[in-house]
Amino acid sequence: MDTAVVSETDPDVMLFRVLRDDGTADPGVDHGMTDAVALRAYFEMRRLRALDARMILLQRQGRVGFYGAATGQEAVPIASGLALAKQDWVFPALREQSVMLVRGYPLRDYIGQVFGNAADNLKGRQPPSHQAGKAVHQVSWSPVIGPQIPQAVGAAMAMRMAKRRPHEIAVGYCGDGATSQPDFHAAMNFAGVFKAPVVIICQNNHWSISVPTAKQTASRTIAIKARAYGMPGVRVDGNDVLAVYKVLRDAFACARSGGGPTFVEAVTYRMGAHTTSDDPKLYRSDSEVEAWAKKDPIDRLRRYLEARGLMDDARDTKLEADASAEIVSIIREVEELAAPSLASMFDDVYAELPWNLREQKAALESGPRAPKH
């Protein structure tokens, strides 16, 4: 594309922001986030960061096997959870599991899945940090890059065909690296052609594990890719929870009203490692991390709340203490539980067990038999 015809005011090129660096909000933007919702967002973001820090510590101590933190990227999942309706379905990538916590999923069950023991509603069948919950309409993500995007589009089409009321939508998430995968392009094309009631959100955290964004796409922005598929693309400051909330509410409303899909690029940064199996010091500089630390989404929201007289040191200290106490208490309870029962391997596979599996389950439950002589 000839860059001369691309306007810097185009939503897929410009970076939409609400919060200024000093914590005040642009008075010219109606972001739609009330003080009550902003305080809820702050609590959820603080709790998520405390949870991530604690779980990483447990992994380093050998008490859990794996964990993927969202440190520095809390604004997108938390804003998503606050903007979604109860009936909507979520297809997350690695750093959006916490959407389900905002929508009412119990923290005990969330932590239990990381341990994979009797507290795990998934019965230990998924790797750690692969939470899912039917009650909150969220499926598990896959370690393979990108398959959740066509799944979200397909689910959205099924919702439309079922003509359910109130209107349901689907939301699919991906990272910047996934936009170079075939699944992304197939899903975007299908969504654009059939006007699927779906919103696809890319968290551009600048690193596809160890590959920088500039080395995996020549596109001027990631949001601009939406043009090729006939849908709106919006580029938003992913560390500005008010801006993300505004963009997602508008995109969700468009999909819900029959206006078709929207592609959102949330520009953010992964402050920590890709997962606990990664060492980011091998491929990026400390100065880069330090520069992004000054744009921390939690710090920016706190300055906004302070400017409005809604937060101070005493309230913040209590909030952090309460969140930490809740997390520690649940970990202490969950960690002592036994592994899932062996008999649970027969659950959730068939609506009615076939005869051969019924026999195997009965044999397992009856215990070992003495050998015949």
Side-chain angles (χ1 to χ4, degrees):
M1 175 180 291
D2 181 0
T3 56
V5 302
V6 178
S7 169
E8 294 297 341
T9 61
D10 288 340
D12 51 16
V13 174
M14 64 173 284
L15 188 67
F16 178 72
R17 300 177 71 192
V18 173
L19 286 177
R20 302 188 182 99
D21 292 340
D22 64 0
T24 57
D26 184 343
V29 178
D30 180 12
H31 52 78
M33 183 176 279
T34 64
D35 287 347
V37 174
L39 282 168
R40 170 80 187 282
Y42 187 70
F43 165 75
E44 295 287 355
M45 291 166 71
R46 287 299 301 268
R47 183 174 70 162
L48 175 57
R49 183 160 297 185
L51 174 63
D52 284 352
R54 180 67 60 170
M55 299 312 294
I56 289 173
L57 178 62
L58 294 185
Q59 193 279 334
R60 299 309 189 209
Q61 294 172 341
R63 293 157 68 184
V64 299
F66 170 91
Y67 195 76
T71 307
Q73 297 183 223
E74 293 91 351
V76 172
I78 300 308
S80 298
L82 293 170
L84 285 163
K86 182 177 181 180
Q87 69 270 16
D88 300 333
W89 279 84
V90 173
F91 294 78
L94 172 57
R95 300 182 212 286
E96 292 85 27
Q97 303 96 305
S98 57
V99 173
M100 65 197 307
L101 291 176
V102 184
R103 302 178 80 199
Y105 193 75
L107 182 60
R108 180 185 183 277
D109 295 352
Y110 189 93
I111 292 175
Q113 196 281 323
V114 183
F115 281 95
N117 59 20
D120 180 9
N121 287 341
L122 304 183
K123 302 179 177 68
R125 297 175 182 175
Q126 286 278 24
S129 292
H130 287 62
Q131 292 90 346
K134 185 176 180 181
V136 291
H137 289 195
Q138 185 157 321
V139 304
S140 175
W141 65 279
S142 169
V144 180
I145 303 298
Q148 69 278 359
I149 315 172
Q151 291 167 8
V153 174
M157 291 299 295
M159 293 170 190
R160 190 171 73 186
M161 293 171 69
K163 297 181 179 179
R164 295 179 180 173
R165 300 292 188 275
H167 293 292
E168 299 173 332
I169 65 170
V171 183
Y173 298 85
C174 65
D176 45 297
T179 65
S180 293
Q181 290 289 101
D183 279 348
F184 170 81
H185 299 282
M188 291 281 283
N189 187 61
F190 195 98
V193 170
F194 293 100
K195 306 300 179 187
V198 66
V199 176
I200 299 172
I201 303 169
C202 171
Q203 286 215 68
N204 177 5
N205 67 12
H206 292 77
W207 288 95
S208 181
I209 307 183
S210 61
V211 180
T213 304
K215 287 191 175 182
Q216 60 93 12
T217 182
S219 181
R220 181 174 181 180
T221 69
I222 290 179
I224 206 170
K225 295 175 186 282
R227 296 187 183 193
Y229 302 103
M231 70 176 74
V234 182
R235 191 166 179 258
V236 62
D237 184 343
N239 285 11
D240 178 348
V241 70
L242 273 68
V244 175
Y245 182 76
K246 161 68 175 171
V247 165
L248 294 187
R249 285 234 308 181
D250 289 351
F252 296 164
C254 178
R256 207 180 306 283
S257 65
T262 301
F263 177 56
V264 177
E265 175 193 358
V267 180
T268 182
Y269 192 79
R270 167 170 52 84
M271 293 300 298
H274 175 70
T275 69
T276 49
S277 301
D278 171 49
D279 182 2
K281 290 185 178 296
L282 298 176
Y283 54 81
R284 68 184 189 187
S285 67
D286 290 342
S287 59
E288 178 180 306
V289 178
E290 291 167 3
W292 275 94
K294 297 176 182 178
K295 305 174 185 179
D296 185 282
I298 296 178
D299 293 343
R300 290 174 70 183
L301 181 56
R302 167 163 173 164
R303 288 194 292 270
Y304 170 77
L305 295 173
E306 288 175 340
R308 297 183 65 80
L310 300 170
M311 186 59 59
D312 54 34
D313 288 344
R315 295 177 191 175
D316 199 24
T317 299
K318 184 178 186 306
L319 186 152
E320 183 176 13
D322 290 347
S324 295
E326 178 190 22
I327 293 166
V328 170
S329 175
I330 291 173
I331 290 173
R332 186 178 296 119
E333 172 196 352
V334 167
E335 191 171 14
E336 297 302 318
L337 298 177
S341 69
L342 286 175
S344 69
M345 75 173 76
F346 297 98
D347 298 340
D348 311 319
V349 180
Y350 294 92
E352 183 176 344
L353 281 178
W355 66 269
N356 58 319
L357 292 184
R358 288 200 303 271
E359 287 187 356
Q360 292 177 35
K361 183 176 182 181
L364 174 66
E365 292 175 338
S366 65
R369 298 179 181 178
K372 296 182 179 179
H373 297 286

